[in-house]
Amino acid sequence: MFGDKLKKLRTDNNLTQEELAEKIMVTRTAVSKWETNKGYPSIDSLKELSNLFGISIDELISDDDIQSKRLLDEAKSRKFYFSAIVFLGVATVSALISYFMKLPYLKFVSAVGVIEYLVMAYFAKPKYKRLDARKVIVPYIISRLIILAVIIIVMVSAFVNN
């Protein structure tokens, strides 16, 4: 695994995590996460590590490392997806309650719910999948238009004067 390789390279070069972090301009915590396989470096950090240790990036990472990174990204994305659904539900319910029960203060809750939904929905798909989705442009545009329509309906119903 990447973490084991990095730790061996670091100790073979008599570097502490702090010293390695300083050399490649990251935090010691980042190095610790990498060495325990709880996170992976950015491509810029991989380049710095490659240069520092005089090895290729291919020697630093393997196919297993790439798969592990994908699994971590997908787990994190599932949390964002669940949060997005919750915020959309809150926005919808508060908009409906505001409209039917004439409680104008819930309009604010609905607006915040929509904003949070948009933020969470953006991160709900791992980055590599967001890039892949843009390659199939027509379904991508249609899905975005449907989401936009739902958001507009919720916002209009929340802010319509009763």
Side-chain angles (χ1 to χ4, degrees), residues 80-92 113 117:
F80 281 114
Y81 177 78
F82 177 75
S83 297
I85 296 302
V86 168
F87 281 116
L88 185 60
V90 167
T92 303
Y117 164 76

Side-chain angles (χ1 to χ4, degrees), residues 89-112:
V90 167
T92 303
V93 169
S94 63
L96 292 172
I97 291 172
S98 173
Y99 181 76
F100 289 112
M101 299 190 78
K102 301 194 180 357
L103 300 172
Y105 63 88
L106 285 179
K107 292 177 183 179
F108 176 74
V109 174
S110 183
V112 170

Side-chain angles (χ1 to χ4, degrees), residues 3-157:
D4 299 325
K5 290 179 208 172
L6 179 60
K7 187 173 184 174
K8 181 170 178 8
L9 286 167
R10 179 180 61 77
T11 56
D12 287 352
N13 286 276
N14 298 317
L15 294 171
T16 65
Q17 287 182 342
E18 185 71 37
E19 291 168 336
L20 176 59
E22 286 177 20
K23 287 184 182 288
I24 63 169
M25 295 174 282
V26 297
T27 64
R28 187 209 54 80
T29 306
V31 173
S32 176
K33 283 183 181 180
W34 301 341
E35 287 186 357
T36 57
N37 295 308
K38 292 181 181 171
Y40 290 90
S42 67
I43 192 67
D44 291 331
S45 295
L46 283 172
K47 288 177 185 177
E48 292 291 329
L49 290 167
S50 173
N51 290 336
L52 178 66
F53 295 125
I55 59 174
S56 71
I57 291 177
D58 287 341
E59 292 175 274
L60 275 173
I61 58 174
S62 67
D63 289 341
D64 290 340
D65 296 326
I66 294 168
Q67 184 61 27
S68 294
K69 169 74 168 124
R70 257 187 194 185
L71 292 174
L72 282 174
D73 286 348
E74 287 174 0
K76 189 163 83 172
S77 293
R78 280 191 293 278
K79 292 177 186 174
F80 281 114
Y81 177 78
F82 177 75
S83 297
I85 296 302
V86 168
F87 281 116
L88 185 60
V90 167
T92 303
V93 169
S94 63
L96 292 172
I97 291 172
S98 173
Y99 181 76
F100 289 112
M101 299 190 78
K102 301 194 180 357
L103 300 172
Y105 63 88
L106 285 179
K107 292 177 183 179
F108 176 74
V109 174
S110 183
V112 170
V114 168
I115 291 167
E116 289 298 324
Y117 164 76
L118 291 171
V119 171
M120 295 297 152
Y122 177 78
F123 293 109
K125 191 177 273 192
K127 187 173 183 178
Y128 73 91
K129 285 187 178 179
R130 286 194 304 261
L131 296 175
D132 288 347
R134 290 185 180 133
K135 292 177 185 173
V136 187
I137 194 73
V138 173
Y140 178 79
I141 291 172
I142 291 170
S143 69
R144 295 306 177 249
L145 289 174
I146 291 170
I147 290 169
L148 180 63
V150 169
I151 291 170
I152 289 171
I153 289 168
V154 169
M155 293 301 290
V156 166
S157 69

